[in-house]
mmCIF file of all heavy atoms in Angstrom:
data_model
loop_
_atom_site.group_PDB
_atom_site.id
_atom_site.type_symbol
_atom_site.label_atom_id
_atom_site.label_comp_id
_atom_site.label_asym_id
_atom_site.label_seq_id
_atom_site.Cartn_x
_atom_site.Cartn_y
_atom_site.Cartn_z
ATOM 1 N N GLU A 1 13.723 2.989 0.494
ATOM 2 C CA GLU A 1 14.617 1.989 1.084
ATOM 3 C C GLU A 1 14.284 0.591 0.564
ATOM 4 O O GLU A 1 15.182 -0.215 0.293
ATOM 5 C CB GLU A 1 14.526 2.050 2.604
ATOM 6 C CG GLU A 1 15.038 3.376 3.171
ATOM 7 C CD GLU A 1 14.906 3.478 4.683
ATOM 8 O OE1 GLU A 1 14.430 2.502 5.304
ATOM 9 O OE2 GLU A 1 15.274 4.534 5.230
ATOM 10 N N ALA A 2 12.990 0.284 0.410
ATOM 11 C CA ALA A 2 12.596 -1.012 -0.140
ATOM 12 C C ALA A 2 13.046 -1.135 -1.590
ATOM 13 O O ALA A 2 13.445 -2.218 -2.032
ATOM 14 C CB ALA A 2 11.083 -1.194 -0.032
ATOM 15 N N ASN A 3 12.999 -0.027 -2.347
ATOM 16 C CA ASN A 3 13.495 -0.045 -3.720
ATOM 17 C C ASN A 3 14.993 -0.315 -3.765
ATOM 18 O O ASN A 3 15.476 -1.088 -4.585
ATOM 19 C CB ASN A 3 13.194 1.289 -4.414
ATOM 20 C CG ASN A 3 11.812 1.317 -5.041
ATOM 21 O OD1 ASN A 3 11.260 0.277 -5.391
ATOM 22 N ND2 ASN A 3 11.249 2.498 -5.184
ATOM 23 N N PHE A 4 15.743 0.350 -2.881
ATOM 24 C CA PHE A 4 17.195 0.164 -2.839
ATOM 25 C C PHE A 4 17.554 -1.270 -2.475
ATOM 26 O O PHE A 4 18.377 -1.914 -3.144
ATOM 27 C CB PHE A 4 17.811 1.131 -1.826
ATOM 28 C CG PHE A 4 19.294 0.929 -1.609
ATOM 29 C CD1 PHE A 4 20.206 1.355 -2.555
ATOM 30 C CD2 PHE A 4 19.762 0.301 -0.461
ATOM 31 C CE1 PHE A 4 21.586 1.166 -2.363
ATOM 32 C CE2 PHE A 4 21.120 0.109 -0.254
ATOM 33 C CZ PHE A 4 22.032 0.547 -1.210
ATOM 34 N N ILE A 5 16.930 -1.792 -1.431
ATOM 35 C CA ILE A 5 17.233 -3.156 -0.993
ATOM 36 C C ILE A 5 16.786 -4.173 -2.037
ATOM 37 O O ILE A 5 17.494 -5.145 -2.319
ATOM 38 C CB ILE A 5 16.582 -3.442 0.374
ATOM 39 C CG1 ILE A 5 17.217 -2.550 1.450
ATOM 40 C CG2 ILE A 5 16.708 -4.911 0.758
ATOM 41 C CD1 ILE A 5 16.483 -2.543 2.763
ATOM 42 N N GLY A 6 15.616 -3.957 -2.649
ATOM 43 C CA GLY A 6 15.157 -4.849 -3.710
ATOM 44 C C GLY A 6 16.101 -4.842 -4.889
ATOM 45 O O GLY A 6 16.387 -5.891 -5.484
ATOM 46 N N CYS A 7 16.590 -3.659 -5.249
ATOM 47 C CA CYS A 7 17.569 -3.528 -6.330
ATOM 48 C C CYS A 7 18.845 -4.290 -5.987
ATOM 49 O O CYS A 7 19.384 -5.038 -6.810
ATOM 50 C CB CYS A 7 17.877 -2.046 -6.566
ATOM 51 S SG CYS A 7 19.084 -1.711 -7.864
ATOM 52 N N MET A 8 19.324 -4.134 -4.752
ATOM 53 C CA MET A 8 20.548 -4.806 -4.314
ATOM 54 C C MET A 8 20.381 -6.327 -4.290
ATOM 55 O O MET A 8 21.294 -7.076 -4.645
ATOM 56 C CB MET A 8 20.944 -4.316 -2.921
ATOM 57 C CG MET A 8 21.393 -2.864 -2.883
ATOM 58 S SD MET A 8 22.955 -2.601 -3.733
ATOM 59 C CE MET A 8 24.083 -3.471 -2.633
ATOM 60 N N ALA A 9 19.208 -6.803 -3.882
ATOM 61 C CA ALA A 9 18.960 -8.243 -3.844
ATOM 62 C C ALA A 9 18.990 -8.829 -5.250
ATOM 63 O O ALA A 9 19.534 -9.925 -5.471
ATOM 64 C CB ALA A 9 17.616 -8.528 -3.176
ATOM 65 N N ALA A 10 18.408 -8.115 -6.217
ATOM 66 C CA ALA A 10 18.419 -8.591 -7.602
ATOM 67 C C ALA A 10 19.842 -8.539 -8.176
ATOM 68 O O ALA A 10 20.274 -9.469 -8.865
ATOM 69 C CB ALA A 10 17.462 -7.750 -8.450
ATOM 70 N N ILE A 11 20.565 -7.465 -7.890
ATOM 71 C CA ILE A 11 21.935 -7.306 -8.384
ATOM 72 C C ILE A 11 22.848 -8.419 -7.856
ATOM 73 O O ILE A 11 23.747 -8.898 -8.564
ATOM 74 C CB ILE A 11 22.486 -5.924 -7.971
ATOM 75 C CG1 ILE A 11 21.903 -4.827 -8.869
ATOM 76 C CG2 ILE A 11 24.005 -5.885 -8.016
ATOM 77 C CD1 ILE A 11 22.245 -3.421 -8.423
ATOM 78 N N ASN A 12 22.614 -8.853 -6.633
ATOM 79 C CA ASN A 12 23.462 -9.872 -6.011
ATOM 80 C C ASN A 12 22.982 -11.299 -6.274
ATOM 81 O O ASN A 12 23.549 -12.251 -5.719
ATOM 82 C CB ASN A 12 23.541 -9.628 -4.507
ATOM 83 C CG ASN A 12 24.497 -8.496 -4.152
ATOM 84 O OD1 ASN A 12 25.690 -8.716 -3.983
ATOM 85 N ND2 ASN A 12 23.977 -7.286 -4.067
ATOM 86 N N HIS A 13 21.978 -11.469 -7.105
ATOM 87 C CA HIS A 13 21.477 -12.807 -7.441
ATOM 88 C C HIS A 13 22.486 -13.532 -8.315
ATOM 89 O O HIS A 13 23.224 -12.925 -9.084
ATOM 90 C CB HIS A 13 20.131 -12.691 -8.163
ATOM 91 C CG HIS A 13 19.279 -13.908 -8.033
ATOM 92 N ND1 HIS A 13 19.514 -15.060 -8.760
ATOM 93 C CD2 HIS A 13 18.181 -14.164 -7.271
ATOM 94 C CE1 HIS A 13 18.600 -15.966 -8.454
ATOM 95 N NE2 HIS A 13 17.778 -15.450 -7.541
ATOM 96 N N SER A 14 22.531 -14.846 -8.202
ATOM 97 C CA SER A 14 23.471 -15.641 -8.997
ATOM 98 C C SER A 14 23.026 -15.804 -10.440
ATOM 99 O O SER A 14 23.833 -16.150 -11.313
ATOM 100 C CB SER A 14 23.660 -17.024 -8.360
ATOM 101 O OG SER A 14 22.411 -17.678 -8.206
ATOM 102 N N ASP A 15 21.745 -15.537 -10.728
ATOM 103 C CA ASP A 15 21.211 -15.699 -12.079
ATOM 104 C C ASP A 15 21.381 -14.403 -12.865
ATOM 105 O O ASP A 15 21.035 -13.316 -12.381
ATOM 106 C CB ASP A 15 19.734 -16.079 -12.023
ATOM 107 C CG ASP A 15 19.145 -16.326 -13.398
ATOM 108 O OD1 ASP A 15 19.243 -17.454 -13.886
ATOM 109 O OD2 ASP A 15 18.593 -15.368 -13.983
ATOM 110 N N VAL A 16 21.892 -14.503 -14.086
ATOM 111 C CA VAL A 16 22.191 -13.325 -14.899
ATOM 112 C C VAL A 16 20.933 -12.539 -15.246
ATOM 113 O O VAL A 16 20.961 -11.298 -15.331
ATOM 114 C CB VAL A 16 22.950 -13.728 -16.180
ATOM 115 C CG1 VAL A 16 22.072 -14.598 -17.095
ATOM 116 C CG2 VAL A 16 23.451 -12.504 -16.922
ATOM 117 N N HIS A 17 19.798 -13.215 -15.424
ATOM 118 C CA HIS A 17 18.562 -12.505 -15.749
ATOM 119 C C HIS A 17 18.083 -11.650 -14.572
ATOM 120 O O HIS A 17 17.590 -10.534 -14.760
ATOM 121 C CB HIS A 17 17.471 -13.501 -16.156
ATOM 122 C CG HIS A 17 17.777 -14.253 -17.404
ATOM 123 N ND1 HIS A 17 18.487 -15.441 -17.392
ATOM 124 C CD2 HIS A 17 17.487 -13.992 -18.707
ATOM 125 C CE1 HIS A 17 18.607 -15.882 -18.640
ATOM 126 N NE2 HIS A 17 18.007 -15.029 -19.445
ATOM 127 N N PHE A 18 18.237 -12.170 -13.370
ATOM 128 C CA PHE A 18 17.873 -11.405 -12.177
ATOM 129 C C PHE A 18 18.794 -10.200 -12.031
ATOM 130 O O PHE A 18 18.338 -9.102 -11.695
ATOM 131 C CB PHE A 18 17.948 -12.282 -10.927
ATOM 132 C CG PHE A 18 16.716 -13.100 -10.680
ATOM 133 C CD1 PHE A 18 16.399 -14.176 -11.497
ATOM 134 C CD2 PHE A 18 15.871 -12.808 -9.626
ATOM 135 C CE1 PHE A 18 15.264 -14.938 -11.269
ATOM 136 C CE2 PHE A 18 14.724 -13.556 -9.396
ATOM 137 C CZ PHE A 18 14.420 -14.628 -10.224
ATOM 138 N N ARG A 19 20.086 -10.416 -12.263
ATOM 139 C CA ARG A 19 21.031 -9.301 -12.158
ATOM 140 C C ARG A 19 20.692 -8.222 -13.188
ATOM 141 O O ARG A 19 20.785 -7.024 -12.901
ATOM 142 C CB ARG A 19 22.467 -9.786 -12.346
ATOM 143 C CG ARG A 19 22.958 -10.689 -11.227
ATOM 144 C CD ARG A 19 24.472 -10.751 -11.175
ATOM 145 N NE ARG A 19 25.066 -11.244 -12.412
ATOM 146 C CZ ARG A 19 25.202 -12.524 -12.733
ATOM 147 N NH1 ARG A 19 24.774 -13.461 -11.887
ATOM 148 N NH2 ARG A 19 25.766 -12.876 -13.866
ATOM 149 N N TYR A 20 20.302 -8.643 -14.374
ATOM 150 C CA TYR A 20 19.913 -7.690 -15.415
ATOM 151 C C TYR A 20 18.717 -6.845 -14.957
ATOM 152 O O TYR A 20 18.729 -5.618 -15.117
ATOM 153 C CB TYR A 20 19.567 -8.441 -16.704
ATOM 154 C CG TYR A 20 18.925 -7.571 -17.761
ATOM 155 C CD1 TYR A 20 19.699 -6.704 -18.530
ATOM 156 C CD2 TYR A 20 17.551 -7.605 -17.986
ATOM 157 C CE1 TYR A 20 19.109 -5.886 -19.488
ATOM 158 C CE2 TYR A 20 16.951 -6.795 -18.949
ATOM 159 C CZ TYR A 20 17.737 -5.935 -19.696
ATOM 160 O OH TYR A 20 17.148 -5.139 -20.641
ATOM 161 N N THR A 21 17.704 -7.485 -14.392
ATOM 162 C CA THR A 21 16.540 -6.717 -13.937
ATOM 163 C C THR A 21 16.923 -5.760 -12.813
ATOM 164 O O THR A 21 16.373 -4.659 -12.720
ATOM 165 C CB THR A 21 15.398 -7.637 -13.465
ATOM 166 O OG1 THR A 21 15.820 -8.390 -12.316
ATOM 167 C CG2 THR A 21 14.969 -8.590 -14.570
ATOM 168 N N GLY A 22 17.870 -6.165 -11.969
ATOM 169 C CA GLY A 22 18.301 -5.307 -10.867
ATOM 170 C C GLY A 22 19.047 -4.077 -11.345
ATOM 171 O O GLY A 22 18.754 -2.946 -10.918
ATOM 172 N N TYR A 23 20.025 -4.274 -12.245
ATOM 173 C CA TYR A 23 20.791 -3.136 -12.738
ATOM 174 C C TYR A 23 19.928 -2.191 -13.580
ATOM 175 O O TYR A 23 20.051 -0.961 -13.465
ATOM 176 C CB TYR A 23 21.986 -3.623 -13.558
ATOM 177 C CG TYR A 23 23.149 -4.058 -12.697
ATOM 178 C CD1 TYR A 23 23.503 -5.409 -12.599
ATOM 179 C CD2 TYR A 23 23.902 -3.133 -11.974
ATOM 180 C CE1 TYR A 23 24.561 -5.826 -11.805
ATOM 181 C CE2 TYR A 23 24.971 -3.532 -11.180
ATOM 182 C CZ TYR A 23 25.295 -4.880 -11.094
ATOM 183 O OH TYR A 23 26.338 -5.289 -10.298
ATOM 184 N N THR A 24 19.062 -2.734 -14.415
ATOM 185 C CA THR A 24 18.213 -1.857 -15.237
ATOM 186 C C THR A 24 17.143 -1.164 -14.393
ATOM 187 O O THR A 24 16.676 -0.079 -14.748
ATOM 188 C CB THR A 24 17.556 -2.646 -16.391
ATOM 189 O OG1 THR A 24 16.845 -3.791 -15.871
ATOM 190 C CG2 THR A 24 18.603 -3.116 -17.391
ATOM 191 N N PHE A 25 16.766 -1.788 -13.288
ATOM 192 C CA PHE A 25 15.848 -1.162 -12.331
ATOM 193 C C PHE A 25 16.493 0.086 -11.738
ATOM 194 O O PHE A 25 15.910 1.169 -11.720
ATOM 195 C CB PHE A 25 15.516 -2.171 -11.242
ATOM 196 C CG PHE A 25 14.569 -1.685 -10.174
ATOM 197 C CD1 PHE A 25 13.254 -1.390 -10.461
ATOM 198 C CD2 PHE A 25 14.999 -1.566 -8.849
ATOM 199 C CE1 PHE A 25 12.370 -0.958 -9.473
ATOM 200 C CE2 PHE A 25 14.135 -1.143 -7.853
ATOM 201 C CZ PHE A 25 12.819 -0.842 -8.162
ATOM 202 N N GLY A 26 17.740 -0.054 -11.264
ATOM 203 C CA GLY A 26 18.467 1.090 -10.725
ATOM 204 C C GLY A 26 18.738 2.140 -11.786
ATOM 205 O O GLY A 26 18.633 3.347 -11.529
ATOM 206 N N LEU A 27 19.072 1.690 -12.994
ATOM 207 C CA LEU A 27 19.359 2.612 -14.086
ATOM 208 C C LEU A 27 18.143 3.470 -14.417
ATOM 209 O O LEU A 27 18.275 4.675 -14.664
ATOM 210 C CB LEU A 27 19.801 1.824 -15.322
ATOM 211 C CG LEU A 27 19.981 2.632 -16.610
ATOM 212 C CD1 LEU A 27 21.044 3.721 -16.442
ATOM 213 C CD2 LEU A 27 20.345 1.707 -17.775
ATOM 214 N N ARG A 28 16.971 2.876 -14.434
ATOM 215 C CA ARG A 28 15.760 3.619 -14.773
ATOM 216 C C ARG A 28 15.530 4.774 -13.790
ATOM 217 O O ARG A 28 15.186 5.889 -14.196
ATOM 218 C CB ARG A 28 14.539 2.697 -14.786
ATOM 219 C CG ARG A 28 13.246 3.406 -15.155
ATOM 220 C CD ARG A 28 12.112 2.411 -15.321
ATOM 221 N NE ARG A 28 11.845 1.671 -14.108
ATOM 222 C CZ ARG A 28 11.071 2.094 -13.106
ATOM 223 N NH1 ARG A 28 10.501 3.281 -13.179
ATOM 224 N NH2 ARG A 28 10.879 1.340 -12.045
ATOM 225 N N PHE A 29 15.732 4.525 -12.500
ATOM 226 C CA PHE A 29 15.568 5.587 -11.513
ATOM 227 C C PHE A 29 16.580 6.701 -11.738
ATOM 228 O O PHE A 29 16.255 7.887 -11.646
ATOM 229 C CB PHE A 29 15.715 5.032 -10.097
ATOM 230 C CG PHE A 29 14.476 4.373 -9.572
ATOM 231 C CD1 PHE A 29 14.433 3.008 -9.364
ATOM 232 C CD2 PHE A 29 13.347 5.118 -9.276
ATOM 233 C CE1 PHE A 29 13.288 2.395 -8.880
ATOM 234 C CE2 PHE A 29 12.194 4.519 -8.788
ATOM 235 C CZ PHE A 29 12.173 3.151 -8.591
ATOM 236 N N CYS A 30 17.831 6.314 -12.039
ATOM 237 C CA CYS A 30 18.877 7.318 -12.266
ATOM 238 C C CYS A 30 18.582 8.156 -13.510
ATOM 239 O O CYS A 30 18.741 9.381 -13.501
ATOM 240 C CB CYS A 30 20.238 6.635 -12.403
ATOM 241 S SG CYS A 30 20.858 5.898 -10.876
ATOM 242 N N LEU A 31 18.160 7.502 -14.585
ATOM 243 C CA LEU A 31 17.838 8.229 -15.808
ATOM 244 C C LEU A 31 16.664 9.184 -15.604
ATOM 245 O O LEU A 31 16.672 10.311 -16.112
ATOM 246 C CB LEU A 31 17.521 7.245 -16.938
ATOM 247 C CG LEU A 31 18.707 6.488 -17.541
ATOM 248 C CD1 LEU A 31 18.216 5.423 -18.512
ATOM 249 C CD2 LEU A 31 19.671 7.448 -18.246
ATOM 250 N N ASN A 32 15.660 8.742 -14.863
ATOM 251 C CA ASN A 32 14.514 9.612 -14.592
ATOM 252 C C ASN A 32 14.931 10.862 -13.832
ATOM 253 O O ASN A 32 14.450 11.967 -14.101
ATOM 254 C CB ASN A 32 13.444 8.859 -13.798
ATOM 255 C CG ASN A 32 12.699 7.848 -14.642
ATOM 256 O OD1 ASN A 32 12.745 7.893 -15.870
ATOM 257 N ND2 ASN A 32 12.014 6.918 -14.003
ATOM 258 N N GLU A 33 15.841 10.689 -12.878
ATOM 259 C CA GLU A 33 16.297 11.837 -12.100
ATOM 260 C C GLU A 33 17.182 12.753 -12.943
ATOM 261 O O GLU A 33 17.115 13.985 -12.817
ATOM 262 C CB GLU A 33 17.052 11.368 -10.851
ATOM 263 C CG GLU A 33 17.525 12.478 -9.930
ATOM 264 C CD GLU A 33 16.401 13.325 -9.355
ATOM 265 O OE1 GLU A 33 15.238 12.882 -9.342
ATOM 266 O OE2 GLU A 33 16.685 14.469 -8.916
ATOM 267 N N ILE A 34 18.006 12.162 -13.810
ATOM 268 C CA ILE A 34 18.817 12.965 -14.733
ATOM 269 C C ILE A 34 17.908 13.813 -15.616
ATOM 270 O O ILE A 34 18.145 15.009 -15.828
ATOM 271 C CB ILE A 34 19.706 12.055 -15.607
ATOM 272 C CG1 ILE A 34 20.870 11.471 -14.791
ATOM 273 C CG2 ILE A 34 20.234 12.823 -16.822
ATOM 274 C CD1 ILE A 34 22.053 12.380 -14.607
ATOM 275 N N TYR A 35 16.850 13.208 -16.138
ATOM 276 C CA TYR A 35 15.919 13.931 -17.007
ATOM 277 C C TYR A 35 15.266 15.094 -16.272
ATOM 278 O O TYR A 35 15.078 16.180 -16.828
ATOM 279 C CB TYR A 35 14.843 12.976 -17.529
ATOM 280 C CG TYR A 35 13.843 13.637 -18.447
ATOM 281 C CD1 TYR A 35 14.158 13.884 -19.778
ATOM 282 C CD2 TYR A 35 12.594 14.029 -17.968
ATOM 283 C CE1 TYR A 35 13.257 14.512 -20.621
ATOM 284 C CE2 TYR A 35 11.684 14.660 -18.805
ATOM 285 C CZ TYR A 35 12.016 14.897 -20.133
ATOM 286 O OH TYR A 35 11.120 15.523 -20.960
ATOM 287 N N ARG A 36 14.929 14.865 -15.007
ATOM 288 C CA ARG A 36 14.295 15.922 -14.210
ATOM 289 C C ARG A 36 15.251 17.088 -13.992
ATOM 290 O O ARG A 36 14.833 18.253 -14.009
ATOM 291 C CB ARG A 36 13.847 15.359 -12.862
ATOM 292 C CG ARG A 36 12.952 16.274 -12.058
ATOM 293 C CD ARG A 36 12.639 15.685 -10.694
ATOM 294 N NE ARG A 36 13.803 15.683 -9.826
ATOM 295 C CZ ARG A 36 14.224 16.747 -9.122
ATOM 296 N NH1 ARG A 36 13.575 17.901 -9.219
ATOM 297 N NH2 ARG A 36 15.284 16.664 -8.351
ATOM 298 N N ARG A 37 16.540 16.775 -13.825
ATOM 299 C CA ARG A 37 17.514 17.819 -13.513
ATOM 300 C C ARG A 37 18.099 18.482 -14.760
ATOM 301 O O ARG A 37 18.341 19.689 -14.779
ATOM 302 C CB ARG A 37 18.667 17.226 -12.684
ATOM 303 C CG ARG A 37 18.282 16.779 -11.296
ATOM 304 C CD ARG A 37 19.506 16.356 -10.515
ATOM 305 N NE ARG A 37 19.183 16.011 -9.131
ATOM 306 C CZ ARG A 37 20.057 16.046 -8.138
ATOM 307 N NH1 ARG A 37 21.314 16.407 -8.365
ATOM 308 N NH2 ARG A 37 19.684 15.721 -6.911
ATOM 309 N N ASP A 38 18.385 17.667 -15.797
ATOM 310 C CA ASP A 38 19.097 18.180 -16.964
ATOM 311 C C ASP A 38 18.698 17.379 -18.200
ATOM 312 O O ASP A 38 19.347 16.373 -18.527
ATOM 313 C CB ASP A 38 20.615 18.090 -16.731
ATOM 314 C CG ASP A 38 21.419 18.808 -17.801
ATOM 315 O OD1 ASP A 38 20.900 19.012 -18.912
ATOM 316 O OD2 ASP A 38 22.590 19.148 -17.529
ATOM 317 N N PRO A 39 17.638 17.782 -18.914
ATOM 318 C CA PRO A 39 17.162 17.025 -20.075
ATOM 319 C C PRO A 39 18.224 16.829 -21.154
ATOM 320 O O PRO A 39 18.233 15.785 -21.824
ATOM 321 C CB PRO A 39 16.000 17.883 -20.593
ATOM 322 C CG PRO A 39 15.519 18.627 -19.393
ATOM 323 C CD PRO A 39 16.751 18.925 -18.598
ATOM 324 N N CYS A 40 19.109 17.795 -21.341
ATOM 325 C CA CYS A 40 20.163 17.644 -22.354
ATOM 326 C C CYS A 40 21.144 16.551 -21.964
ATOM 327 O O CYS A 40 21.564 15.735 -22.806
ATOM 328 C CB CYS A 40 20.900 18.975 -22.548
ATOM 329 S SG CYS A 40 19.897 20.271 -23.295
ATOM 330 N N LEU A 41 21.534 16.513 -20.701
ATOM 331 C CA LEU A 41 22.420 15.456 -20.215
ATOM 332 C C LEU A 41 21.739 14.101 -20.338
ATOM 333 O O LEU A 41 22.379 13.094 -20.679
ATOM 334 C CB LEU A 41 22.814 15.732 -18.767
ATOM 335 C CG LEU A 41 23.704 14.691 -18.074
ATOM 336 C CD1 LEU A 41 25.016 14.505 -18.827
ATOM 337 C CD2 LEU A 41 23.970 15.081 -16.626
#
């Protein structure tokens, strides 16, 4: 939950660099889970 809220706080920041860290933070978790479930995907 802290990861989700932290990600959302960065995504909603007015600074583009903060938003970048937020979206890539969420993306990394999603990619890791994709790899665990389906390495080809």
Side-chain angles (χ1 to χ4, degrees):
E1 295 178 1
N3 274 334
F4 174 75
I5 294 168
C7 179
M8 292 292 291
I11 283 172
N12 282 273
H13 205 283
S14 56
D15 183 87
V16 65
H17 296 88
F18 276 71
R19 293 200 301 277
Y20 170 78
T21 64
Y23 280 110
T24 54
F25 180 66
L27 173 60
R28 181 173 61 84
F29 279 111
C30 291
L31 287 172
N32 287 344
E33 183 61 20
I34 287 279
Y35 181 79
R36 191 184 70 82
R37 293 186 176 204
D38 189 338
C40 292
L41 178 59

